[in-house]
């Protein structure tokens, strides 16, 4: 059996009996407090940044110490609240001189703080962290949140640092398979650990009418509008342009009272948002497409939505927005690169009475529009039932406690290996 086929067989979720065994093992293994150095380029609002904050929370709650090295950003307050220590460094830089300097900074920090594991989230910091890990004989971990583009051999080499970890964390089965096939990584070095979310925070029962009304005012919509929510940074790989073209199709069909709401960061160093708005204006869609930007009350944005969409045109791994949307009892429509069948239950993989959403081919705006028409043609009872199944699915299979146990078990095992090799 090759490593790719092994990765395909590995489930992203853990059955309850296996989870119980992990709890026993991780509890025994994690009695010794650990110090983990987490390196992430920035602390804005992307998957890597949110993943780093989650890791800090997991480590702190487990009685361990988390140090985060980053350029900083909007999530600094959340990081501090989770119990992490922030060390500022230019780890987002791709300048070779800066990256070389970061090797010395990381190495010194690892020795001073006696770090047990270095965990990199992002390619530029991973190169410095990888070399520092070698110099200090410290276990090195990377996490993949998406499939990186590989236009040429140089890009493949640059991406390869993310496959050089002693352990490589993939947030979905799809990514585990991609890593194994592209970089010929033995499957025993790849660990599938999905993202976790706060199911109390993302619970429609906990979102007040006042918060919903406030979010409607921010979005400029009414209670009668069908809000199609797209959550994520304004990047071409997220497929916002596919959603805009689907909006054009819905308008041409004569559909009324619908709004696409794009909620997410625009970091200001890409022309994509400008190009996107040009397309909106050129197609006379300003009335049905809203670029909202980041919002402070994300659960309320899901509560306003009729459906949550991911139109990703690049392998996305496991998107938090799809988990959050389902946790908020909202049907989802995703591209085949936006979420795998273990995340969204969709026909024909499952019968319609088990579906939590619909899937369409990446880049197919007609397929996205058809999926939305299909959902909007359902009765309110059918729509509600899909949402309820979505919450049941993600709360059962993406359990936060189990994911914490998986993570601590991973760190503890690597730390024991390091301790065993010390003179």
């Amino acid at each position: 059996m090759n490593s790719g086929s092994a990765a395909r067989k590995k489930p992203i979720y853990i059955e309850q009996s296996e989870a119980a065994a992990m709890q026993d093992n991780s509890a025994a293994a994690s009695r010794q407090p650990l110090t983990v150095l987490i390196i992430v380029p920035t602390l804005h609002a992307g998957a890597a940044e949110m993943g780093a904050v989650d890791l800090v929370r997991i480590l702190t709650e487990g009685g361990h110490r988390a140090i985060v090295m980053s350029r900083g950003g909007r999530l600094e307050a959340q990081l501090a609240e989770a119990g992490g220590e922030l060390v500022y460094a230019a780890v987002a830089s791709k300048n070779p001189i800066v990256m070389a300097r970061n090797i010395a900074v990381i190495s010194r920090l690892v020795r001073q703080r006696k770090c047990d594991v270095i965990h990199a989230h992002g390619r530029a910091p991973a190169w410095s962290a990888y070399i520092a890990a070698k110099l200090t004989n410290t276990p090195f971990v990377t996490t993949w949140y998406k499939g990186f583009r590989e236009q040429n051999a140089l890009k493949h080499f640059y991406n390869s640092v993310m496959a050089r970890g002693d352990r490589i964390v993939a947030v979905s089965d799809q990514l585990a398979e991609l890593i194994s096939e592209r970089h010929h990584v033995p499957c025993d070095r790849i660990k599938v650990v999905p993202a976790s979310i706060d199911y109390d925070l993302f619970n429609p029962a906990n979102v007040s009418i006042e918060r919903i009304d406030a979010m409607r005012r921010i979005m400029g919509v009414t209670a009668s509008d069908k809000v199609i929510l797209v959550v994520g940074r304004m990047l071409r790989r997220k497929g916002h342009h596919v959603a805009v073209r689907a909006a054009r199709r819905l308008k041409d069909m004569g559909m009324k009272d619908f709004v696409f709401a794009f909620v997410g960061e625009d970091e200001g160093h890409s022309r994509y948002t400008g190009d996107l708005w040009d397309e909106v204006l050129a197609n006379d869609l300003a009335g049905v497409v809203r670029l909202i930007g980041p919002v402070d009350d994300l659960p309320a944005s899901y509560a306003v939505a009729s459906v949550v969409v991911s139109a990703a045109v690049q392998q996305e791994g496991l998107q938090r927005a799809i988990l959050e949307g389902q946790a908020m009892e909202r049907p989802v429509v995703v591209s085949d690169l936006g979420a795998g069948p273990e995340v969204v239950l969709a026909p024909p993989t499952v019968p319609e009475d088990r579906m939590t959403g619909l899937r369409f081919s990446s880049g197919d705006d007609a397929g996205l529009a058809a999926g939305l028409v299909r959902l909007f043609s359902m009765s309110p009872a059918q729509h509600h039932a899909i949402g309820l199944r979505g919450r049941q699915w993600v709360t059962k299979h993406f359990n936060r406690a189990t994911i914490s146990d998986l993570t601590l078990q991973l760190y503890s095992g690597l730390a024991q290996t390091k301790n065993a090799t010390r003179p």
Side-chain angles (χ1 to χ4, degrees):
M1 180 183 295
N2 61 35
S3 56
S5 63
R8 278 189 289 271
K9 289 179 177 292
K10 185 175 186 177
I12 190 171
Y13 53 85
I14 307 298
E15 297 299 339
Q16 296 303 314
S17 59
E18 189 176 349
M22 285 182 186
Q23 290 174 357
D24 292 341
N25 291 338
S26 62
S30 60
R31 291 192 186 111
Q32 182 67 33
L34 304 175
T35 299
V36 178
L37 175 59
I38 300 166
I39 306 181
V40 60
T42 69
L43 285 171
H44 294 306
E49 293 92 332
M50 291 299 297
V53 173
D54 276 351
L55 286 176
V56 169
R57 189 173 292 112
I58 288 169
L59 285 162
T60 302
E61 291 175 355
H64 306 289
R65 184 182 188 188
I67 303 171
V68 176
M69 182 178 286
S70 174
R71 190 176 66 188
R74 290 180 61 236
L75 298 179
E76 288 183 31
Q78 290 189 35
L79 179 71
E81 184 181 349
E85 175 189 352
L86 177 59
V87 175
Y88 291 98
V91 290
S93 176
K94 297 179 182 177
N95 183 312
I97 297 174
V98 176
M99 293 171 74
R101 189 181 304 132
N102 286 337
I103 295 171
V105 172
I106 295 168
S107 299
R108 182 168 60 252
L109 185 64
V110 167
R111 293 188 178 104
Q112 287 176 347
R113 305 297 184 87
K114 295 181 171 54
C115 297
D116 296 285
V117 178
I118 302 174
H119 193 156
H121 301 250
R123 292 163 292 176
W127 277 109
S128 299
Y130 170 66
I131 297 172
K134 292 293 186 184
L135 293 174
T136 59
N137 190 33
T138 303
F140 177 56
V141 180
T142 63
T143 291
W144 289 61
Y145 294 95
K146 64 179 182 177
F148 302 109
R149 294 179 62 195
E150 298 205 329
Q151 304 94 315
N152 51 52
L154 182 61
K155 196 72 170 181
H156 176 80
F157 175 75
Y158 179 65
N159 296 343
S160 72
V161 68
M162 298 297 289
R164 296 172 187 248
D166 298 295
R167 291 294 182 273
I168 302 158
V169 176
V171 297
S172 74
D173 286 342
Q174 288 179 314
L175 274 184
E177 181 178 344
L178 182 74
I179 297 164
S180 180
E181 290 181 348
R182 280 187 181 176
H183 298 282
H184 309 292
V185 178
C187 60
D188 60 354
R189 280 176 50 213
I190 304 175
K191 304 299 178 184
V192 178
V193 182
S196 67
I197 62 172
D198 187 334
Y199 295 116
D200 289 327
L201 178 64
F202 293 98
N203 183 344
N206 296 335
V207 181
S208 67
I209 294 296
E210 291 77 15
R211 290 168 61 189
I212 293 173
D213 288 342
M215 185 55 62
R216 285 192 177 122
R217 288 193 293 272
I218 290 171
M219 292 184 176
V221 300
T222 68
S224 61
D225 286 324
K226 296 182 283 288
V227 177
I228 302 159
L229 185 67
V230 183
V231 177
R233 285 187 290 181
M234 303 298 292
L235 299 170
R236 181 168 293 277
R237 64 181 173 82
K238 298 287 187 180
H240 294 83
H241 57 287
V242 179
V244 168
R245 291 163 194 169
R248 174 76 264 175
R249 289 183 179 274
L250 294 180
K251 189 173 181 180
D252 289 345
M253 293 175 193
M255 182 176 286
K256 306 291 185 182
D257 302 325
F258 75 91
V259 172
F260 278 80
F262 295 165
V263 170
E265 294 273 358
D266 176 9
E267 296 183 355
H269 52 68
S270 171
R271 294 174 50 191
Y272 181 59
T273 302
D275 292 343
L276 197 67
W277 190 243
D278 287 344
E279 187 169 354
V280 168
L281 295 177
N283 287 280
D284 192 25
L285 296 173
V288 297
V289 176
R290 310 278 164 80
L291 276 63
I292 309 299
V295 297
D296 293 329
D297 193 350
L298 198 51
S301 71
Y302 291 112
V304 168
S306 301
V307 59
V308 178
V309 164
S310 167
V313 295
Q314 184 178 328
Q315 187 71 264
E316 277 295 297
L318 180 60
Q319 296 185 84
R320 287 177 179 273
I322 300 306
L323 295 182
E324 293 165 353
Q326 290 181 100
M328 286 293 295
E329 299 181 2
R330 293 301 179 260
V332 295
V333 180
V334 299
S335 78
D336 50 9
L337 296 181
E342 74 279 10
V343 179
V344 177
L345 303 180
T349 306
V350 299
E352 291 203 6
D353 62 359
R354 288 189 58 215
M355 65 183 281
T356 65
L358 297 171
R359 186 172 285 105
F360 66 97
S361 297
S362 173
D364 182 7
D365 53 278
L368 171 56
L372 292 169
V373 169
R374 182 177 174 187
L375 277 179
F376 292 143
S377 66
M378 294 179 179
S379 69
Q382 290 174 306
H383 206 266
H384 183 59
I386 293 172
L388 287 176
R389 287 195 295 269
R391 180 169 175 84
Q392 291 167 357
W393 178 255
V394 297
T395 54
K396 179 180 179 181
H397 294 300
F398 297 89
N399 180 277
R400 188 170 183 175
T402 301
I403 292 165
S404 295
D405 290 332
L406 280 168
T407 303
L408 293 179
Q409 185 185 48
L410 171 67
Y411 286 147
S412 297
L414 287 171
Q416 288 174 355
T417 300
K418 177 181 179 178
N419 292 335
T421 59
R422 280 177 174 163

